[in-house]
Amino acid sequence: MAASKSFLDSLKKPEPTSFKMTDFRRELHLRHKRDEHAKKERMKALQESKLISKYAITIDTSRARSNCDVLRMCVKELGFKEYPFGRKDNCCDVHWHACHFEDNPEVYGGKVNKFSGMGEICSKMTLFRCLDIMRDLFPTDYDFYPRTWYLPAQFHEFSCEIRKMHERRVKPKPTFIVKPDTGAQGDGIYLLREPNEYSSFNGKCHVAQEYMSNVYLIDKFKFDFRIYVLLKSLEPLEFYICQEGLARFSTLPYENPTNKNIHESFMHLTNYSLNKRSSTFNRSDRDDEGSKRTLTSVLRRIAMNGHDSNKVWKSIERIVCKTIVAIVPEMKVEYQAAVPPGKTGPSCFQVLGFDILLLHNLKPILLEINASPSLSLDSEQEVSPGVFEYVISPKDEEVKYPLIRDTLLHVVPIDKLKYFRKRKKRRLLKKLKASSSQKMKRPEPLVKQRTSIVIIKADESDEEKREVNVTQQMSEMHMDIDSSASHGESTARDANSDDERESNLKSDTELDEEVDNYFETKLRESCLKQLYPAIYDEECERYRILERVAGLFIYFLGIRGSLRIGPTGFRTFARKCRLNRKGMTNASVDIMYIDLQRRWDHMNPERTSGLCYQGFLDACIEIARRKFYAPSKIEMLENLVDHCELSLNLKDNDLANNLPRLHFRRLGLQYRQGSLYAMPRRIMEQMTEETTIEDLLKAHEKKLRQPSKEDIESFLRRSRRTIYQPSSTAAVLSAHRSPDSE
Ligand code: ADP
């Protein structure tokens, strides 16, 4: 103001020219400098804010509800940015919902921790139906869950089975467990021995299962495992198993079911939410004691009892793989309805809870999948009779905290994570350099980082335990750093003279390597182990046939985002797949459609028109049985799907659409089933870079005529044209509809 005033004054009052001009120039110069300075400051602030918003890893926890505590702890430790009330633009890297994908329909990007329709898919009826279909195709491989009936629809079959068992005088007397379709936490579950004991309240649907009475006991109690699985992506399929879980114990010593004890839920059910109300619930904090224990402690106990716990764990891993593969086709159908191709939508991941029971012979049995497993860290404690207090349960924390932390590390954007690591690394390096020049002092940032975790923990006695734990971890880390710092046998601390110390100072590159190694080890320490594709890729490949059927279903849906195929879509399917050449007339196609629609009516409570995916699958199985006869069901279905895919390829004659979905993996090229366009695996295994697209299509066609091995080999030997271009395949892949690409 003063400056402008003097400037105006100078204009009004004529002064001696020389004085006026110097004043004016000085004033102008000062102003200019001031503006420059302000501009620089503004730019700096802007740059900083841009830097933060661009690289900060943002987590929306506004809908996390009971997951909030553990999520918040992880977000804090990892240094990510939490949005407890969400962001106005709904633009976070991760949106954490406690229940459903549909919780926030406004999310168009980032990642959501729920798949669309997963709650429904994991409901007992849908899950066991999916597994039943697989059991039908692979009877010996899908034998890891109890026989199931769907009530009231299958009440007649259920009663007949019980009657037959009675007639055969099966010993011990068979018992069944009835569970509400969408129930949880043991609600509404009861055991029965006679069909007339079944009662369907309010027309609710139930599943009835064989009650597995010969279970493995520990300290005379029945227990089941809660195994956590991270389903990271659907296309390509990728999932991980958490190597730590929980074991939930019943609170009354177990006895085989009798008419007398059949109603004792604290004996037959192992749900924590139910047993915590029992007066005999044991809240011991010791790992291998109490009504809730860690999975590893129970596996250790099994090993101590002289059994092979590794074998048990491997069987559990296999069950997880087979179950996920069984539900993936349904998930794909649901996903395309929630995020139809062309619509921007978030990609999804999900933490699932598998409940697994161990039989007396240590065979694991799948009981159910929880789409929203409890991630709460609280447990109730009775401080005085009838007065309960919520305290942090160390066992829950030990399992759920690393699970969520590592889940977040797996799903946040990789480029941001890289930058984030770099920043952490820079800070760590700076401290290390400073400390290495000061007699190799212990690096402080790590200490701070770890102690911040300790503060969050609640219980005092635990705090001590954890502090020891943390100090151990720190010292291990320092040992690492120190040991790599040492040259030969001498360490920096041993060096007394300044000269010696100088010689022990690490160069920048050495420090750099150390810090890199540190982060590498931290990453490797993840509690999540990749099951698919890393380990069970090949083993599960043959189970993925139904994804191809789901691919056909989605292809012919007609209306994008729909869940049911109409009569026109079904007719188009028959026409385009040239089923008429196999002797199916239009009339027989229509009759089959009407017939199946009626049969699947119970899966359509809203009475919308159309046939659901499972009805379509039934149709495919029926067509395969009639027109593609082979010794086994799976071969029939494979023949039908191969035929349909081939017909579609030839019809469209469009390479972009006809290319089978290929995947580059490890050193070679391998074909992964699960896409719409499939190839015989044998051929794909022998495929080289010189194999052409035409060759593949010919090979596919030949497969239908059952070529011999020599046929295929000679065919591949003959194919030497090099049209096959990895880059063009990638382009085609990206053009192909991809429900949930990572
Ligand atoms: P919820 O979803 O209500 O927890 P679950 O299917 O997990 O229902 O069953 C609850 C409990 O009942 C299990 O934890 C297990 O102890 C027991 N249970 C369930 N099914 C069976 C079965 N087929 N055989 C023996 N026990 C079972």
Side-chain angles (χ1 to χ4, degrees):
M1 273 304 282
S4 61
K5 202 176 173 190
S6 68
F7 174 63
L8 288 174
D9 287 348
S10 69
L11 285 179
K12 277 179 201 161
K13 294 178 216 156
E15 296 275 339
T17 331
S18 61
F19 175 74
K20 197 174 71 187
M21 283 310 288
T22 42
D23 219 22
F24 173 68
R25 275 200 198 109
R26 194 174 347 106
E27 190 56 41
L28 216 59
H29 179 70
L30 277 174
R31 239 190 224 198
H32 182 69
K33 279 233 157 187
R34 243 191 338 256
D35 286 353
E36 283 273 283
H37 182 72
K39 201 172 160 188
K40 264 190 190 166
E41 287 291 310
R42 266 206 311 277
M43 285 302 288
K44 223 165 128 185
L46 198 71
Q47 264 174 0
E48 261 171 19
S49 73
K50 265 191 182 169
L51 210 64
I52 289 170
S53 61
K54 191 171 169 195
Y55 290 106
I57 298 175
T58 51
I59 317 286
D60 170 11
T61 58
S62 59
R63 285 173 178 81
R65 291 193 236 167
S66 61
N67 302 176
C68 229
D69 288 344
V70 64
L71 193 62
R72 203 157 274 167
M73 277 168 72
C74 298
V75 168
K76 198 172 171 188
E77 200 221 328
L78 294 170
F80 298 167
K81 188 157 174 48
E82 183 194 348
Y83 282 87
F85 305 108
R87 257 174 96 153
K88 264 190 193 161
D89 55 1
N90 264 321
C91 246
C92 280
D93 295 316
V94 176
H95 300 265
W96 198 282
H97 293 177
C99 294
H100 304 290
F101 170 84
E102 292 80 6
D103 271 357
N104 185 3
E106 300 303 312
V107 175
Y108 297 110
K111 294 209 170 175
V112 174
N113 72 321
K114 293 278 185 281
F115 280 95
S116 164
M118 198 60 163
E120 167 60 24
I121 293 168
C122 291
S123 72
K124 293 180 178 74
M125 276 202 164
T126 316
L127 170 68
F128 289 107
R129 254 185 229 283
C130 290
L131 289 171
D132 275 352
I133 294 167
M134 294 302 279
R135 185 180 266 178
D136 202 25
L137 298 174
F138 307 96
T140 48
D141 297 345
Y142 278 78
D143 61 344
F144 54 81
Y145 66 95
R147 266 205 306 164
T148 308
W149 292 265
Y150 310 97
L151 304 180
Q154 289 189 330
F155 184 73
H156 179 68
E157 289 95 320
F158 179 55
S159 356
C160 285
E161 184 61 32
I162 297 183
R163 213 174 312 122
K164 265 190 221 158
M165 281 175 150
H166 286 331
E167 278 164 15
R168 270 188 275 135
R169 294 179 191 282
V170 176
K171 290 270 178 224
K173 203 174 167 193
T175 310
F176 299 87
I177 184 164
V178 178
K179 315 178 198 177
D181 175 32
T182 48
Q185 305 187 337
D187 276 353
I189 295 184
Y190 57 95
L191 271 57
L192 58 75
R193 299 184 127 184
E194 298 296 339
N196 57 10
E197 289 166 28
Y198 169 66
S199 49
S200 167
F201 303 110
N202 315 326
K204 265 190 183 175
C205 293
H206 292 81
V207 293
Q209 287 186 328
E210 241 178 299
Y211 183 75
M212 315 304 278
S213 54
N214 54 340
V215 287
Y216 189 84
L217 305 179
I218 287 187
D219 302 332
K220 296 190 184 149
F221 291 102
K222 177 179 173 178
F223 66 92
D224 75 347
F225 289 133
R226 166 56 59 85
I227 309 285
Y228 297 95
V229 172
L230 165 65
L231 183 49
K232 187 178 165 184
S233 111
L234 198 56
E235 187 78 71
L237 184 60
E238 188 176 338
F239 53 86
Y240 297 74
I241 193 166
C242 182
Q243 309 202 69
E244 186 57 287
L246 290 169
R248 292 98 42 98
F249 284 70
S250 61
T251 41
L252 274 186
Y254 183 76
E255 286 165 21
N256 277 333
T258 58
N259 287 344
K260 213 168 147 198
N261 71 24
I262 204 168
H263 304 294
E264 295 280 9
S265 46
F266 291 146
M267 179 188 288
H268 295 293
L269 309 189
T270 51
N271 301 74
Y272 163 74
S273 44
L274 192 113
N275 280 285
K276 71 180 179 189
R277 286 187 229 129
S278 160
S279 56
T280 49
F281 188 86
N282 182 347
R283 291 194 164 77
S284 167
D285 276 351
R286 281 193 50 178
D287 240 15
D288 52 353
E289 253 182 36
S291 301
K292 194 190 247 185
R293 305 183 194 180
T294 56
L295 167 94
T296 43
S297 78
V298 174
L299 288 178
R300 264 201 307 275
R301 181 71 179 272
I302 290 172
M304 268 161 55
N305 290 349
H307 304 293
D308 188 352
S309 58
N310 282 336
K311 201 173 150 197
V312 175
W313 182 244
K314 284 272 166 234
S315 319
I316 292 177
E317 285 185 354
R318 284 209 169 84
I319 287 183
V320 167
C321 291
K322 289 176 189 172
T323 311
I324 290 191
V325 168
I327 60 171
V328 159
E330 288 270 355
M331 287 178 68
K332 286 191 172 173
V333 172
E334 286 283 345
Y335 191 93
Q336 63 79 37
V339 188
K343 182 186 161 193
T344 52
S347 53
C348 306
F349 65 96
Q350 189 152 358
V351 175
L352 301 168
F354 281 63
D355 288 354
I356 286 176
L357 193 73
L358 274 193
L359 293 190
H360 189 64
N361 59 2
L362 291 172
K363 180 181 161 70
I365 295 288
L366 177 78
L367 295 181
E368 68 158 344
I369 308 183
N370 278 282
S372 306
S374 158
L375 295 176
S376 148
L377 302 180
D378 294 338
S379 70
E380 271 177 28
Q381 213 161 49
E382 196 167 9
V383 276
S384 53
V387 182
F388 288 92
E389 200 179 76
Y390 284 95
V391 289
I392 284 195
S393 140
K395 284 176 193 168
D396 280 291
E397 194 186 353
E398 194 182 329
V399 177
K400 294 169 187 174
Y401 173 74
L403 166 72
I404 300 306
R405 182 198 58 202
D406 294 341
T407 298
L408 285 176
L409 282 174
H410 268 290
V411 299
V412 295
I414 208 110
D415 50 337
K416 282 193 175 184
L417 198 65
K418 269 187 197 157
Y419 176 79
F420 182 76
R421 286 225 178 88
K422 252 190 217 164
R423 241 179 35 195
K424 266 199 160 182
K425 186 178 142 181
R426 236 180 287 144
R427 271 191 228 148
L428 191 61
L429 256 178
K430 221 166 141 187
K431 297 272 177 181
L432 270 175
K433 274 182 204 162
S435 56
S436 96
S437 58
Q438 288 170 24
K439 303 182 198 167
M440 305 290 284
K441 253 189 181 174
R442 299 193 160 216
E444 266 173 55
L446 300 174
V447 178
K448 275 186 190 156
Q449 219 177 309
R450 302 307 307 178
T451 40
S452 67
I453 306 167
V454 177
I455 295 162
I456 303 165
K457 327 271 162 151
D459 211 294
E460 252 182 49
S461 57
D462 287 342
E463 213 164 284
E464 276 172 27
K465 251 194 268 168
R466 271 185 219 105
E467 211 132 16
V468 174
N469 222 333
V470 166
T471 334
Q472 267 172 4
Q473 279 185 34
M474 276 163 38
S475 51
E476 273 168 28
M477 219 151 54
H478 295 311
M479 285 280 282
D480 285 349
I481 290 168
D482 286 350
S483 63
S484 50
S486 63
H487 296 280
E489 297 205 333
S490 71
T491 62
R493 248 168 282 159
D494 296 333
N496 291 326
S497 70
D498 279 357
D499 289 350
E500 259 181 286
R501 212 177 295 138
E502 286 266 303
S503 69
N504 279 336
L505 284 183
K506 286 171 265 180
S507 70
D508 280 4
T509 41
E510 275 175 319
L511 281 175
D512 216 56
E513 269 173 29
E514 263 170 43
V515 180
D516 270 343
N517 286 342
Y518 164 70
F519 280 116
E520 278 290 304
T521 357
K522 280 276 134 203
L523 265 187
R524 258 184 271 127
E525 273 169 14
S526 172
C527 69
L528 297 171
K529 171 183 163 191
Q530 192 180 84
L531 289 186
Y532 195 95
I535 304 175
Y536 293 97
D537 182 7
E538 275 161 31
E539 206 176 312
C540 289
E541 201 172 297
R542 65 208 181 98
Y543 305 134
R544 298 190 67 186
I545 172 85
L546 294 190
E547 280 175 57
R548 293 165 64 191
V549 179
L552 287 173
F553 178 73
I554 295 167
Y555 191 93
F556 288 107
L557 268 176
I559 306 161
R560 283 184 167 191
S562 136
L563 281 168
R564 293 174 177 278
I565 193 166
T568 320
F570 195 72
R571 233 176 276 142
T572 317
F573 156 68
R575 183 169 44 82
K576 282 205 169 184
C577 292
R578 299 174 183 195
L579 295 178
N580 53 349
R581 285 196 188 174
K582 287 276 170 185
M584 286 198 69
T585 60
N586 285 347
S588 63
V589 168
D590 287 346
I591 291 168
M592 179 181 274
Y593 179 85
I594 294 165
D595 188 32
L596 283 166
Q597 201 186 10
R598 246 186 244 141
R599 211 188 297 168
W600 284 92
D601 233 15
H602 64 279
M603 291 286 280
N604 186 11
E606 293 99 32
R607 302 269 176 247
T608 43
S609 70
L611 190 64
C612 62
Y613 160 67
Q614 291 201 357
F616 178 78
L617 178 63
D618 247 10
C620 289
I621 292 175
E622 182 58 27
I623 297 168
R625 195 182 57 77
R626 283 193 213 165
K627 307 290 170 191
F628 295 83
Y629 188 77
S632 68
K633 252 191 188 172
I634 182 69
E635 279 173 83
M636 289 188 238
L637 193 63
E638 258 173 1
N639 286 346
L640 166 75
V641 176
D642 282 349
H643 170 85
C644 294
E645 288 172 352
L646 186 66
S647 308
L648 289 171
N649 288 346
L650 294 177
K651 177 83 186 152
D652 292 339
N653 201 21
D654 169 6
L655 282 184
N657 279 331
N658 291 343
L659 238 198
R661 187 172 291 197
L662 301 171
H663 231 83
F664 293 90
R665 200 168 57 81
R666 295 181 201 135
L667 289 175
L669 286 164
Q670 277 219 357
Y671 172 64
R672 182 167 303 177
Q673 282 196 340
S675 74
L676 188 59
Y677 305 104
M679 277 285 159
R681 192 175 155 210
R682 272 183 305 178
I683 294 170
M684 299 308 285
E685 274 172 359
Q686 294 171 44
M687 197 171 85
T688 66
E689 294 238 334
E690 284 144 30
T691 312
T692 66
I693 291 154
E694 286 91 326
D695 296 338
L696 294 175
L697 293 172
K698 266 191 220 159
H700 200 169
E701 199 179 356
K702 271 197 166 188
K703 195 218 162 191
L704 293 180
R705 285 189 254 117
Q706 302 293 329
S708 65
K709 198 171 172 221
E710 290 74 43
D711 255 351
I712 295 166
E713 271 167 7
S714 71
F715 154 75
L716 278 170
R717 241 179 281 122
R718 271 184 279 117
S719 59
R720 282 286 168 268
R721 281 161 290 165
T722 35
I723 304 174
Y724 190 78
Q725 297 274 339
S727 53
S728 68
T729 312
V732 171
L733 284 182
S734 65
H736 195 95
R737 297 207 296 193
S738 159
D740 189 16
S741 44
E742 265 295 285

